[in-house]
Amino acid sequence: MTLAIFDLDNTLLGGDSDYAWGEFAVKKGLVSADEYRAQNDEFYRQYQQGGLDIDAYLRFALAPLAGRRPEQLAALHREFMADYIAPLRLPKAEALIEQHRAAGDTLLIITATNRFITGPIADSLGIDNLLASDAEMVDGHYTGVPSGTPCFQEGKIERLKVWLQESGETLPGAYFYSDSHNDLPLLKWVDKPVAVDPDDTLRHHAEQAGWPILSLRD
């Protein structure tokens, strides 16, 4: 059985779910519109350039959840899924998932975006295994701060190593599909890296390394 690992944002989705949640939070009045949007845009720029402070970003992204219980946020998340995530679904991405599922591969999403946002998205794609950045909870409420190792850059390898030990899955022969140069550490670690609609830095590296380059948006 082979492991098929997928990045989520701009790979399986035709956009960034974390950024989209920020836009949704502004729309619903969960945050101050102008200030939040400006910060959201700046963090996204840093991510694209490879200089994101992941801890600072997670604290920013999780702040609107502070003091709330997951069940209090469930209706909001359903609205977010319908209005913001459904338009980002990619038929070719879902066909790729089904191709691996039909082959009997173990499916895993690994994403820097927090679990609150991505858990329902993974469920909607029929993928049970998810590694995401985690949000701290105390007494059933989100605190608004991250918990554990962020699932970002080298952190994805750290989190995957733990998951492999706990799940009994193995890495030899594994695929990893990603769009971002931020995922180069993990792409270099697997046997079968695939660049999906890659950014310029990843495209250049993939071409130099002879990695497959795939588009799920055509």
Side-chain angles (χ1 to χ4, degrees):
M1 188 177 295
T2 301
L3 187 59
I5 309 169
F6 304 92
D7 178 48
L8 180 64
D9 298 313
N10 289 305
T11 300
L12 291 181
L13 296 177
D16 188 287
S17 62
D18 220 352
Y19 184 85
W21 172 259
E23 293 295 297
F24 177 74
V26 168
K27 175 185 174 184
K28 301 302 292 186
L30 301 177
V31 294
S32 173
D34 291 342
E35 180 180 348
Y36 191 91
R37 182 171 281 126
Q39 287 185 277
N40 201 29
D41 289 346
E42 174 60 18
F43 277 123
Y44 191 57
R45 183 191 67 79
Q46 292 174 13
Y47 172 81
Q48 291 176 314
Q49 294 185 352
L52 178 65
D53 180 336
I54 187 62
D55 186 70
Y57 176 70
L58 286 172
R59 288 175 181 273
F60 164 78
L62 294 171
L65 308 184
R68 304 173 190 263
R69 294 180 178 271
E71 54 268 27
Q72 293 173 318
L73 295 162
L76 276 174
H77 201 293
R78 286 193 294 270
E79 184 179 348
F80 169 66
M81 290 285 292
D83 293 349
Y84 284 77
I85 297 302
L88 300 181
R89 299 279 289 259
L90 297 172
K92 284 190 174 182
E94 297 186 32
L96 177 63
I97 292 169
E98 292 309 312
Q99 176 184 322
H100 280 286
R101 196 191 313 277
D105 297 335
T106 298
L107 309 180
L108 169 66
I109 289 174
I110 187 164
T111 175
T113 301
N114 69 77
R115 185 175 295 272
F116 165 74
I117 293 174
T118 57
I121 299 173
D123 289 344
S124 73
L125 294 171
I127 297 180
D128 296 331
N129 302 301
L130 170 67
L131 294 177
S133 296
D134 291 316
E136 181 184 69
M137 295 188 69
V138 174
D139 297 329
H141 294 79
Y142 288 109
T143 66
V145 300
S147 175
T149 301
C151 201
F152 181 64
Q153 294 182 343
E154 288 81 1
K156 286 191 174 183
I157 294 178
E158 293 181 36
R159 295 285 303 276
L160 181 56
K161 285 179 178 178
V162 173
W163 182 83
L164 290 169
Q165 291 177 340
E166 293 176 346
S167 67
E169 297 287 344
T170 57
L171 196 64
Y175 295 82
F176 179 40
Y177 297 90
S178 178
D179 71 292
S180 175
H181 68 279
N182 286 291
D183 282 334
L184 278 169
L186 183 51
L187 284 162
K188 293 176 181 179
W189 201 51
V190 301
D191 288 339
K192 298 178 180 178
V194 182
V196 178
D197 297 293
D199 60 41
D200 290 344
T201 301
L202 178 55
R203 180 177 294 277
H204 176 74
H205 189 97
E207 290 173 346
Q208 294 296 111
W211 295 348
I213 298 175
L214 175 67
S215 178
L216 298 178
R217 303 192 188 201
D218 292 344

